[in-house]
Amino acid sequence: MTASEQWIAFLTILRKEIKRFTRIWIQTLLPPAITMILYFVIFGKLIGSRIGEMSGFSYIEFVAPGLIMMAVITNAYANVSSSFFSAKFQRSIEELLVSPTPNYIILLGYVMGGVARGVAVGLIVTVMSLFFTNLHIHHWFTTLFIVFMTSVVFSLAGFINAIYANTFDDVSIIPTFVLTPLTYFGGVFYSINLLPEFWQQVSVLNPILHMVNAFRYGMLGISDLHIGMALVGLTVLVAVLFAIALHLLKTGKRLRA
């Protein structure tokens, strides 16, 4: 395929993925917004007023970046894992694989579709948060870079999950037993400086903690961890996951549901 044909193939897959979640926006975009509003009301207004300040900010200001990042993570992951597994389950993925479309274009199309949903939900939650607190951007590059790269990471993770999944139940195992615990222990609702020394060291092993703190730095200018490590770590993680996903796609293993 020529470069222009590959670009058309990429845009076609991306357009299909975007239409997929926007067509059923009541199921894909509205629920995360409602869920995050409940988080802001309960943790921000009700509980936050009793907690007071954290790291020099009101509690609701402190948790807002974490809640936005949590929405981005879960939706980027869910979009690709459900979409690719559905294509695999319906055997429609076979038509795409036998086409002259390069594997990396297929992968990029699905991943960017997940990024689109993650960023869209992130924007919606950000707008919702403005009704509860005042947010500002401390560092634009860090904020945008972290949102984009985090969406890419979890879109790739969702793609890999979909490849290995044999049933729809398998698609939900990782979000339930891995993603949710890592997110809640990823510094969304607290600063790890509140933890004992041992648990601080354990928490550092959680990649979501680095993402949340880097995003919080981008918005508020505070972080419990070194920002450079988060930026470099995210870049490396994207490269590793992309290589794994591309290898699985090229070999064609486990692409039969």
Side-chain angles (χ1 to χ4, degrees):
M1 296 180 71
T2 64
S4 60
E5 290 173 337
Q6 292 183 23
W7 177 246
I8 292 173
F10 167 74
L11 290 181
T12 301
I13 298 172
L14 176 59
R15 189 180 301 114
K16 185 263 292 184
E17 288 299 296
I18 293 176
K19 286 184 176 180
R20 177 180 175 273
F21 72 79
T22 53
R23 186 175 63 250
I24 51 173
W25 63 271
I26 294 179
Q27 301 176 37
T28 56
L29 301 181
L30 186 60
I34 295 175
T35 301
M36 291 304 128
I37 287 175
L38 293 176
Y39 275 120
F40 279 115
V41 171
I42 296 172
F43 289 97
K45 292 295 184 181
L46 300 181
I47 298 178
S49 60
R50 298 175 181 272
I51 294 177
E53 290 189 353
M54 185 168 291
S55 300
F57 291 87
S58 66
Y59 187 68
I60 191 170
E61 286 180 295
F62 180 84
V63 300
L67 292 175
I68 295 170
M69 186 56 60
M70 184 166 69
V72 171
I73 289 171
T74 54
N75 283 275
Y77 187 97
N79 191 78
V80 181
S81 60
S82 61
S83 178
F84 190 79
F85 181 77
S86 295
K88 173 182 165 183
F89 182 80
Q90 297 166 357
R91 298 286 193 267
S92 60
I93 190 62
E94 295 175 0
E95 299 175 2
L96 191 57
L97 291 175
V98 297
S99 72
T101 306
N103 289 316
Y104 73 90
I105 293 294
I106 298 174
L107 179 57
L108 284 175
Y110 275 96
V111 168
M112 288 301 106
V115 170
R117 178 172 166 183
V119 172
V121 172
L123 287 174
I124 292 172
V125 175
T126 301
V127 172
M128 293 296 101
S129 69
L130 296 177
F131 290 96
F132 299 93
T133 184
N134 294 319
L135 292 178
H136 64 277
I137 305 298
H138 172 74
H139 197 288
W140 278 99
F141 172 78
T142 301
T143 302
L144 297 177
F145 180 83
I146 292 297
V147 168
F148 177 77
M149 295 297 279
T150 299
S151 299
V152 172
V153 164
F154 287 96
S155 293
L156 287 167
F159 190 92
I160 295 171
N161 181 198
I163 288 179
Y164 277 98
N166 293 317
T167 66
F168 282 99
D169 290 335
D170 293 338
V171 175
S172 63
I173 288 177
I174 299 298
T176 302
F177 296 103
V178 178
L179 195 57
T180 298
L182 287 178
T183 302
Y184 279 97
F185 286 106
V188 173
F189 301 104
Y190 61 89
S191 168
I192 64 168
N193 293 327
L194 300 175
L195 301 176
E197 182 66 25
F198 172 76
W199 290 110
Q200 288 187 34
Q201 299 301 321
V202 173
S203 296
V204 171
L205 300 176
N206 182 356
I208 294 181
L209 178 68
H210 295 267
M211 300 174 192
V212 170
N213 270 273
F215 185 68
R216 184 174 286 130
Y217 171 80
M219 298 199 74
L220 303 180
I222 59 170
S223 175
D224 297 330
L225 302 170
H226 192 276
I227 301 304
M229 290 180 57
L231 300 180
V232 174
L234 262 178
T235 304
V236 173
L237 189 56
V238 166
V240 171
L241 291 178
F242 188 89
I244 293 173
L246 189 59
H247 172 73
L248 292 173
L249 197 58
K250 282 182 177 179
T251 56
K253 294 180 179 179
R254 305 192 66 89
L255 288 180
R256 291 182 176 272

